[in-house]
Each structure stands twice: as structure tokens, then as C-alpha cells.
Amino acid sequence: MNSVIAFWREERGMANVLVTLYVMPVMLFLSMAIVPFFVYSMKADHLNTLANHALKEAEAVGYVSPSIIAATNARLAQLGMGSVTVGGTAYPSYTGSTDTKVLRHSADPTIRLVLKYPAPNLTRILSAVGGNGTSSTHEGFYNLVLYGKSEAYE
């Protein structure tokens, strides 16, 4: 009987066990939750870099040509971000980009490059802690809109 009483008197040891049982799963979840955020930000960075490169090419030519689109799509595919169809629409999408040649000495020599690509679903992680995450693969889109000045003479 004395050993049972002595066991329950040692509160500090039991408190450490209880704290460990509650804190460790939370810490494990938080350490694994950073991975989707890292993937999301790295994809955004890659898209921004490739869109800036495509804009520089478009500035030299005077518009977003089919060859620039094909080269950008090939670069995206090399990074594992190839063509994707969501809701019947193919991505990456360049809808809204300048598709007619703009000369350097035009009244408005602005070239517009629009790149839209599906973003990874980050809200699924919320369902693990009772949030409203959905099971859809893509829930949002990266939508980059860049402007440049045409350098084309003819």
C-alpha cells in the first residue's frame, strides 16, 4: 500500500509523461505541416522565375509568341509542373497575354504576360485538425501578370 501512495506522490514524473503525450503529437504535426507550405512557395518561386524569363523573351520579339509559350511550357515540364487539365481547362494558361506584335515606337509599347497555373491544395491540412479542408486536388491558382516594354523594331 505504501508503494502505491509513494507512486502517486511523485507528481512531477507523471506530469512530464502527460505533457510529453500531449506535446509530442502537436510538434510532430507542426513539423510535417511545413512541407506543403514549402512546396507551395517553391512552386510560386519557380513560376515567377520562368514568367520573368518569358517576359524578357517577349520584350525582344514584341509579343508572347507560340514559341515562347512552348519554351516556357517545356521549362515548366522539366520542373515537374507540366500540362494539367482542371475543370476542362488546360493549364498553364496564357490567356490575356499580348498576342499581337507591338513595336518599340508604338503609342503603347507595353507587353503583358499572364501565366495561370493550379496551386497545390493547402487547406487539406486543416482537415487533420478539424478544419474545413476539402479533398480536391487543386483549390486555387497561381496567377502571374507581368508587364514589360517592347524592344521590337519590325
Side-chain angles (χ1 to χ4, degrees):
M1 181 74 168
N2 287 337
S3 63
V4 173
I5 293 172
F7 175 76
W8 287 109
R9 282 188 187 162
E10 183 56 51
E11 296 173 9
R12 195 169 61 188
M14 186 57 77
N16 287 343
V17 169
L18 290 175
V19 167
T20 302
L21 288 174
Y22 287 120
V23 170
M24 289 306 293
V26 171
M27 294 301 288
L28 180 65
F29 172 77
L30 291 176
S31 66
M32 294 300 169
I34 194 92
V35 173
F37 290 107
F38 180 73
V39 169
Y40 180 85
S41 64
M42 289 303 295
K43 280 188 170 187
D45 185 50
H46 288 311
L47 275 173
N48 199 12
T49 301
L50 291 177
N52 281 315
H53 187 73
L55 180 64
K56 290 297 178 193
E57 291 176 354
E59 286 175 345
V61 176
Y63 70 107
V64 181
S65 68
S67 62
I68 292 172
I69 291 172
T72 305
N73 287 345
R75 290 182 189 113
L76 284 169
Q78 287 176 344
L79 293 173
M81 298 169 62
S83 297
V84 177
T85 302
V86 177
T89 305
Y91 295 99
S93 173
Y94 300 90
T95 305
S97 298
T98 303
D99 57 357
T100 57
K101 193 165 195 171
V102 177
L103 299 178
R104 178 181 185 156
H105 299 295
S106 296
D108 183 17
T110 304
I111 295 175
R112 180 178 173 170
L113 176 83
V114 179
L115 177 59
K116 189 172 183 181
Y117 193 80
N121 186 351
L122 291 177
T123 61
R124 277 192 294 177
I125 205 165
L126 296 176
S127 63
V129 292
N132 293 330
T134 63
S135 63
S136 65
T137 306
H138 301 289
E139 199 167 78
F141 294 91
Y142 298 109
N143 190 29
L144 298 166
V145 181
L146 304 173
Y147 295 92
K149 183 179 177 185
S150 175
E151 297 294 327
Y153 286 106
E154 289 182 29

